[in-house]
Amino acid sequence: MTSGSLLVDAMTAIARDVDAVFDALLPVPADPRARLVEAMRYAAIGGGKRLRPLLLCATSAMYGVDRDAALRAGAAVEAIHVYSLIHDDLPCMDNDDLRHGKPTVHLAFDEATAVLAGDALHDFAFEVLADPATSADPFVQVELVRTLGRASGCSGMAGGQMMDLVAEQSEFDLPTVTRLQQLKTGALLGAAVELGAILGRVPHEGRTHLRGYARDIGLAFQIVDDLIDHEGDATVAGKAVGKDAKAGKETFVSLLGPDRAREQARLLVEQAIAHLAPHGKEADLLRAVARYIVERDH
Amino acid sequence: MTSGSLLVDAMTAIARDVDAVFDALLPVPADPRARLVEAMRYAAIGGGKRLRPLLLCATSAMYGVDRDAALRAGAAVEAIHVYSLIHDDLPCMDNDDLRHGKPTVHLAFDEATAVLAGDALHDFAFEVLADPATSADPFVQVELVRTLGRASGCSGMAGGQMMDLVAEQSEFDLPTVTRLQQLKTGALLGAAVELGAILGRVPHEGRTHLRGYARDIGLAFQIVDDLIDHEGDATVAGKAVGKDAKAGKETFVSLLGPDRAREQARLLVEQAIAHLAPHGKEADLLRAVARYIVERDH
């Protein structure tokens, strides 16, 4: 199998399987809470590249983890990602109309429902990780919860989003933009890889190279996102583009220029792949994901 | 010691101790995330009755749980309560200006910061519960996380908040209002008691009477909240009053009338206290909390 078809097959499978997990775990209740769960399903099912569940499942598969358990943990990480997008799209945040090519949750429903749907997906993530169906071992469950909580809260994604808000009023330099993006995007991508390794019972010290891989692809991912925002087409991207320049925010592209930014992303991906040297063919999917990250246009 | 001074001393101690836990666990970072943590601290420190940590600590003390561990779990439950207030106060939700007698987070900071501060407190709760300092036993930790997640998400508080939004456009009857309030307020109050028992290693089947106690005080609490909203004084309440009637929402007071509502709250509190019959003096604080719930004016 070529690396291209390995990736295409894995992406097709993860999109289908993550949708199935959300569908099974989010039944619509027959009472006035129905609107909340419908909004959660609207946001969670049928959209996005599912990069975080893909990273989680690709990592855990290297250690022989059962795919059903990995998919549940993948849905938990994706639920955090989706909740953050719902809140990020709100009028008081980025005020976006379009997400994955369809109206954002606050437009399809209303703002209050969007706030609550994000909040409820946030709980959903931790509930799924603490469920024995994800892991029967409470040591593993607690480490999953702790790792995702750290990646999501003020030391991770939410902290990065705060820096992003402050960025509109500040002149951030390259180290600060790097730190911002490591928190805002990198922390959750890193958690996806780390959760896969935790499910695979890889001890903390045995995950150093995987953390290196995740850190490098996380930054490369963000640089490419900045390039898409700078050069992209909203129809292809499935979301608004040109936002950073409009908001007066410094990005990798504004600080490095598009050519050096693209070169930097390529170097980071090579470095990410180098971290996987201890692994043989079983890491080919993680290698393919790393390459995809610089090649994608949305 | 009289039941009155037992309660006053416990409330004074819990207010001081919960503030100390938040202060210790939420250090302000020396980078642009500072604004986020300052907003979290603004909302979390120095306000509220701390009823949920009080219930948790009073319950766990009956089973000999170390107070420091109980306070950490209490701060986790309170963080969920505080995050829900921040989001509930947003312009797109209740649009409140005043909370615990001071400007709401979106006014003291801004709306985007308020959304993120709520989100980050939400993570904080689960991070604290999954930390070995709260319990060194991963079985206990996982049960804490699972119980709080269920009480907070679409099967609990967030589900109740959704019903509350729908209530403005619907004519809810008494069973539906009861269900709404059991989710919106009761679920988290119940979780506080349950987390105390989990820390005390009370098995699930040994907590039935505590769940009964929590269910009854939860409903009584909400009825008294409705009475305060109906009759109250914003200065005493520390928040806006008369909101339910303005929003055209059915409440216990609109459905039962104030006299029958107050009588119902009294009956529920007596019933709650009856659930504690298996306990001796060690449950006096829980009994005093139940009585306080119908006697309070804010």
Side-chain angles (χ1 to χ4, degrees), chain A residues 115-132:
Chain A
V115 171
L116 287 179
D119 290 341
L121 281 167
H122 200 163
D123 287 301
F124 170 88
F126 293 107
E127 273 192 273
V128 168
L129 294 184
D131 190 301

Side-chain angles (χ1 to χ4, degrees), chain A residues 85-157:
Chain A
L85 296 179
I86 298 174
H87 285 185
D88 230 21
D89 288 338
L90 285 169
C92 70
M93 303 273 284
D94 282 358
N95 195 20
D96 276 319
D97 296 344
L98 201 62
R99 173 66 67 182
H100 300 144
K102 60 184 189 178
T104 44
V105 177
H106 63 273
L107 292 180
F109 293 81
D110 57 75
E111 275 186 62
T113 303
V115 171
L116 287 179
D119 290 341
L121 281 167
H122 200 163
D123 287 301
F124 170 88
F126 293 107
E127 273 192 273
V128 168
L129 294 184
D131 190 301
T134 305
S135 167
D137 181 340
F139 285 92
V140 169
Q141 291 177 296
V142 167
E143 199 170 1
L144 295 173
V145 169
R146 199 184 307 133
T147 305
L148 189 61
R150 198 180 302 129
S152 168
C154 60
S155 314
M157 184 181 70

Side-chain angles (χ1 to χ4, degrees), chain B residues 13-66:
Chain B
I14 201 79
R16 180 195 61 217
D17 294 346
V18 169
D19 276 355
V21 174
F22 281 129
D23 183 48
L25 297 183
L26 291 170
V28 180
D31 65 35
R33 292 175 302 138
R35 186 175 169 82
L36 175 62
V37 181
E38 279 159 7
M40 294 166 76
R41 292 174 63 92
Y42 176 85
I45 297 176
K49 293 176 288 288
R50 308 305 195 187
L51 186 57
R52 291 153 194 81
L54 177 63
L55 284 167
L56 195 155
C57 289
T59 305
S60 67
M62 296 202 302
Y63 301 102
V65 174
D66 170 69

